[in-house]
Amino acid sequence: MTTSASVPTEPEGAIAGDGPTVTDRLVDANQQYAAAFTDPGMDARPVLHVAVVACMDARLDLHAALGLELGDCHTIRNAGGVVTDDVIRSLTISQRALGTRSIVLIHHTGCGLESLTEDFRHDLEMEVGQRPAWAVEAFRDVEQDVRQSMQRVRTSPFLLHTDDVRGFVFDVTTGLLREIDPV
């Protein structure tokens, strides 16, 4: 399998900083995409009425892993796939303004948040002179963190639909989802 990681980001022999940047590469790819693009005529409302909250890890190709097509779902990603206040904000808009009813939470094996602690915030404060307003949301037990995320969704007063909330751990070596019992 070829991935972007196997494709050089700089021309052969280029000195770092002298050639195109990764962002230039992305903009060029967009030009090629746009040249063949046709408006699918879709509404912003997801066809399957589902919102997926997942980790931002580059190893998770959510659409492929879940058999999703463009327009099927809302996808909300952050470090760890943690249900934060901003995730609740996005889910609230997804449900109340755009008709989603189901929520799928996906964490994964080998997550970087398992190796961090809240000391990360302290170290940032020491480096930049300002303490971040956000929590790192590090965890040691991925299953327990999925349960905590499910509980945060189910107890949010802003969400209308909390009866179909399911949590999973994606195995980055097999590609399989393992459902987590909320209790």
Side-chain angles (χ1 to χ4, degrees):
M1 175 170 91
T2 302
T3 65
S4 293
S6 63
V7 179
T9 57
E10 295 184 14
E12 189 77 26
I15 298 172
D18 287 348
T21 66
V22 172
T23 304
D24 292 333
R25 179 176 154 214
L26 299 176
V27 171
D28 290 344
N30 173 257
Q31 295 297 316
Q32 293 174 18
Y33 171 79
F37 182 79
T38 56
D39 180 358
M42 294 178 171
D43 186 14
R45 296 172 177 269
V47 173
L48 299 179
H49 305 287
V50 63
V52 178
V53 178
C55 185
M56 66 186 191
D57 192 293
R59 296 171 290 181
L60 276 68
D61 182 350
L62 291 176
H63 277 74
L66 301 175
L68 296 168
E69 300 292 331
L70 182 66
D72 282 348
C73 73
H74 284 158
T75 306
I76 303 161
R77 296 181 78 157
N78 67 19
V82 177
V83 175
T84 61
D85 286 345
D86 193 59
V87 168
I88 294 294
R89 176 182 80 70
S90 293
L91 289 172
T92 301
I93 293 167
S94 179
Q95 285 191 352
R96 291 180 176 262
L98 297 165
T100 59
R101 300 288 180 265
S102 300
I103 299 172
V104 174
L105 306 171
I106 301 177
H107 288 38
H108 65 91
T109 58
C111 185
L113 284 186
E114 291 176 293
S115 63
L116 290 177
T117 67
E118 290 299 318
D119 287 340
F120 184 82
R121 289 176 71 218
H122 174 75
D123 294 344
L124 278 173
E125 180 181 10
M126 294 297 99
E127 180 183 330
V128 302
Q130 180 178 344
R131 187 168 185 84
W134 39 263
V136 174
E137 298 277 357
F139 54 87
R140 294 281 180 248
D141 182 337
V142 68
E143 290 184 15
Q144 182 55 35
D145 202 62
V146 171
R147 286 186 195 94
Q148 177 177 303
S149 291
M150 285 190 280
Q151 184 66 15
R152 285 179 178 175
V153 168
R154 289 191 172 121
T155 59
S156 173
F158 306 110
L159 298 173
L160 296 171
H161 308 284
T162 58
D163 54 322
D164 188 12
V165 177
R166 294 172 65 185
F168 300 85
V169 173
F170 176 86
D171 187 313
V172 298
T173 60
T174 67
L176 290 172
L177 288 176
R178 181 171 36 89
E179 188 157 9
I180 303 302
D181 185 359
V183 182

